[in-house]
Amino acid sequence: TATPVKNTGKRGLSYNNAAYTMPFSLSGQNSQVSWAYNWYQAAGSGFNPALEYVPMLWSNASDLASSWTANAQAAINAGSTHLLGFNEPDLCLAGAGSSCIEMQSAVKAWKQYMEPFAGKALLGSPAVTNGGSPMGLTWLSNFMGNCTGCHIDFINIHWYSNKYAGANYFKQQVEAAHAMSGGRPVWITEFGLDSSVSYTQAELTSFLEEVIEWMDATDYVQRYAYFMDTTGALMNSDGSGMSDLGSMYNSYPEVSSASSSASPSSSATAVLSTSSSITTAVPSSSAIVATTSSTYTSSRITNAPTSSLTSSSSKISAASSVQTSSSSIKSALSDAATSTAVASSDISILGAYFADKDVTASARSAFLQNGNLVVNTYTLASALSVSDPWYGVVKTISILYSDASNNTYIFSSAEQTGTHTITPSSIPSSAKTPSIAPVDGSTINIVGIVWGAQQIKTQSVWDRIYYQQATKWGFQINTGLFGVDGFWGHAKVGVVWYRDAQGVVKSLVGRENGWVKF
């Protein structure tokens, strides 16, 4: 008879019924499942003793907060070494099964309920969705910036999308989370394909095999849990044992770690510090709103009779307008991790666009403060004294600026992502524009290019645009031209800054799918 056996795999179970943990991590299975959680504070009757139970403080609701300290301590006494923060506080959508916590309240609750366990267990950040700004990693970055003195030992994220975005987008999102983590490990405590596009069991299995191999081989991915351990997913239809998918998930061969990045010590407790490169502002609760084009049905129910959780919830999909590409997240949020020192002198703005509106003059007045670049993305229209340049669209602000040595850089961010402060001594190295020579026949020198919320540095793209200027032909502004989707799920603007034959900085700008000509 097979018996529960502990192992050290990264895989976990997200469950509602504790009995469904029993078929996993048994002798003779080569199981890679080592832990489990249920969005609650107690494991429940029948929990598999081979697994580490990881409690979660789902929200700051009084019925959950009042029992948290005792339950978390009891779990630690029973062998739990990790605690999870709030469940999707960034998502405020009725029926979505998310906690929807306003930023200041989340910080206060963390300090009151989670922080006392620093040093007793490793603390996981609030688990955020892969929704677009101001949700997702933007919300998490703002939380970490506002939660001064807080101990956050690992980053916790969720991911859902369709089969076409699939493994590539999944990897990009995890990489983006690590890029803004400050070197912390990453947990993915919910992930799966959503129902916006139908998929076969073979397609789901193929997706899981690819991402499992990648996560097992990536040092900074510390743990992950597929959604979810229930009938029709990892369990068979009557709950009597694992499904075929569950058997694969349980024991799919683990890949030896091949990542070159060092994994942070699991025993170390990291003290959070706010980067000097980016100062995040507290978003209002009204700003945290999501729109979706599809839903993912889930049932994240705790074993406790609490009014704070719903018995059936609609999982927000990562499709369409709620997605943010890892590249735009990296450029807007995590450049602070790779900042480089430059000469200490004032920053100068050479050009600025709010969507496709030239706001260079007003940006100099609004964003230059004591030689620093300070951009509050919550008040862009009023600060720039302009009307909405593209009504109904999530807009970007793109700024071409220089330092005392006349090096040029680009800042680009979506609106509603906080206040970003860049000083002359903390300009991110990734913001520097490349130097790419013109092609034959071109009479300009390109200074920098932005597509959506991403700076474009690819030589082949610059060469194509140089060629268009040399031939004087019209061309279309689209993702095909730039080779990357610079603001996934959103309408984009392309900006090309260049110097003419006299050295004057000029620009060419166009909305997505529009036609332009030098």
Side-chain angles (χ1 to χ4, degrees):
T1 302
T3 57
V5 176
K6 292 182 181 293
N7 69 80
T8 58
K10 297 181 179 183
R11 269 160 252 177
L13 303 174
S14 57
Y15 70 94
N16 292 150
N17 185 339
Y20 290 165
T21 65
M22 282 305 301
F24 299 84
S25 196
L26 302 180
S27 57
Q29 290 180 339
N30 187 36
S31 175
Q32 303 301 321
V33 175
S34 65
W35 67 282
Y37 84 109
N38 59 349
W39 300 276
Y40 188 55
Q41 308 168 8
S45 178
F47 182 76
N48 188 328
L51 305 179
E52 178 192 350
Y53 174 69
V54 181
M56 169 183 273
L57 178 58
W58 192 87
S59 80
N60 61 343
S62 59
D63 53 349
L64 296 175
S66 61
S67 60
W68 171 250
T69 299
N71 284 337
Q73 187 60 56
I76 291 171
N77 294 343
S80 296
T81 58
H82 301 80
L83 301 177
L84 298 175
F86 317 121
N87 186 73
E88 299 183 354
D90 59 313
L91 175 57
C92 295
L93 188 67
S98 53
S99 60
C100 181
I101 309 176
E102 188 270 334
M103 182 65 66
Q104 289 177 318
S105 298
V107 170
K108 180 180 178 181
W110 181 279
K111 291 184 176 182
Q112 183 174 355
Y113 299 110
M114 295 295 292
E115 195 61 24
F117 289 100
K120 299 179 181 179
L122 296 173
L123 307 183
S125 75
V128 295
T129 68
N130 56 316
S133 176
M135 298 161 53
L137 295 180
T138 300
W139 192 99
L140 183 56
S141 178
N142 289 341
F143 173 83
M144 293 172 70
N146 282 281
C147 201
T148 53
C150 297
H151 292 73
I152 298 176
D153 299 301
F154 57 93
I155 299 300
N156 189 6
I157 65 171
H158 293 171
W159 180 94
Y160 294 95
S161 191
N162 60 60
K163 67 180 182 182
Y164 297 118
N168 287 337
Y169 173 41
F170 176 85
K171 295 173 189 177
Q172 289 173 355
Q173 186 71 7
V174 176
E175 288 168 348
H178 184 246
M180 58 78 64
S181 72
R184 297 170 179 83
V186 177
W187 288 30
I188 306 95
T189 53
E190 286 186 32
F191 72 98
L193 296 181
D194 67 31
S195 58
S196 60
V197 178
S198 61
Y199 53 84
T200 65
Q201 193 68 17
E203 288 172 326
L204 175 58
T205 300
S206 177
F207 163 77
L208 273 178
E209 288 177 347
E210 181 174 349
V211 298
I212 283 173
E213 288 182 6
W214 179 78
M215 288 189 287
D216 284 348
T218 302
D219 283 347
Y220 63 75
V221 175
Q222 194 171 71
R223 286 183 172 181
Y224 57 89
Y226 176 70
F227 185 86
M228 62 178 285
D229 181 21
T230 191
T231 54
L234 297 184
M235 296 292 290
N236 59 23
S237 59
D238 63 5
S240 61
M242 290 183 290
S243 64
D244 289 343
L245 189 71
S247 295
M248 183 279 291
Y249 182 77
N250 183 47
S251 57
Y252 189 70
E254 187 175 28
V255 179
S256 298
S257 177
S259 173
S260 60
S261 60
S263 176
S265 170
S266 61
S267 61
T269 301
V271 178
L272 183 67
S273 60
T274 305
S275 167
S276 60
S277 298
I278 298 178
T279 303
T280 51
V282 179
S284 65
S285 58
S286 61
I288 307 175
V289 178
T291 57
T292 66
S293 61
S294 59
T295 58
Y296 182 96
T297 303
S298 67
S299 54
R300 294 176 292 173
I301 315 164
T302 70
N303 297 315
T306 171
S307 60
S308 301
L309 304 180
T310 57
S311 61
S312 180
S313 60
S314 171
K315 164 55 63 182
I316 188 167
S317 80
S320 188
S321 60
V322 299
Q323 287 185 334
T324 299
S325 69
S326 64
S327 55
S328 63
I329 292 168
K330 289 176 183 175
S331 64
L333 299 177
S334 61
D335 279 343
T338 57
S339 63
T340 183
V342 296
S344 294
S345 186
D346 290 356
I347 288 173
S348 300
I349 291 179
L350 304 179
Y353 275 91
F354 181 34
D356 59 342
K357 186 173 184 63
D358 189 339
V359 292
T360 303
S362 54
R364 288 169 178 153
S365 300
F367 301 147
L368 292 178
Q369 300 180 17
N370 300 318
N372 303 323
L373 183 64
V374 182
V375 184
N376 182 349
T377 62
Y378 290 111
T379 59
L380 289 173
S382 59
L384 295 167
S385 301
V386 296
S387 57
D388 190 333
W390 200 351
Y391 183 76
V393 169
V394 178
K395 289 165 283 294
T396 52
I397 179 73
S398 297
I399 301 172
L400 177 70
Y401 63 98
S402 64
D403 61 18
S405 300
N406 292 322
N407 297 308
T408 53
Y409 307 86
I410 286 177
F411 168 83
S412 188
S413 173
E415 60 184 345
Q416 302 294 320
T417 60
T419 298
H420 305 271
T421 300
I422 301 174
T423 67
S425 61
S426 66
I427 296 176
S429 59
S430 60
K432 190 173 182 179
T433 62
S435 179
I436 298 176
V439 301
D440 291 344
S442 178
T443 58
I444 64 172
N445 279 283
I446 296 176
V447 181
I449 301 174
V450 171
W451 174 231
Q454 182 175 350
Q455 182 182 171
I456 304 299
K457 300 183 179 183
T458 309
Q459 179 166 344
S460 60
V461 176
W462 284 50
D463 287 348
R464 281 198 293 271
I465 295 175
Y466 272 131
Y467 178 77
Q468 298 294 347
Q469 190 274 330
T471 60
K472 302 298 190 294
W473 292 343
F475 58 100
Q476 193 172 23
I477 298 289
N478 55 29
T479 293
L481 172 69
F482 296 106
V484 65
D485 191 330
F487 195 18
W488 206 99
H490 297 277
K492 289 166 281 292
V493 168
V495 182
V496 179
W497 280 290
Y498 62 94
R499 294 186 186 274
D500 64 13
Q502 288 72 45
V504 177
V505 175
K506 296 183 177 180
S507 57
L508 183 74
V509 63
R511 294 183 180 183
E512 186 169 15
N513 296 321
W515 287 80
V516 295
K517 181 180 179 181
F518 281 98

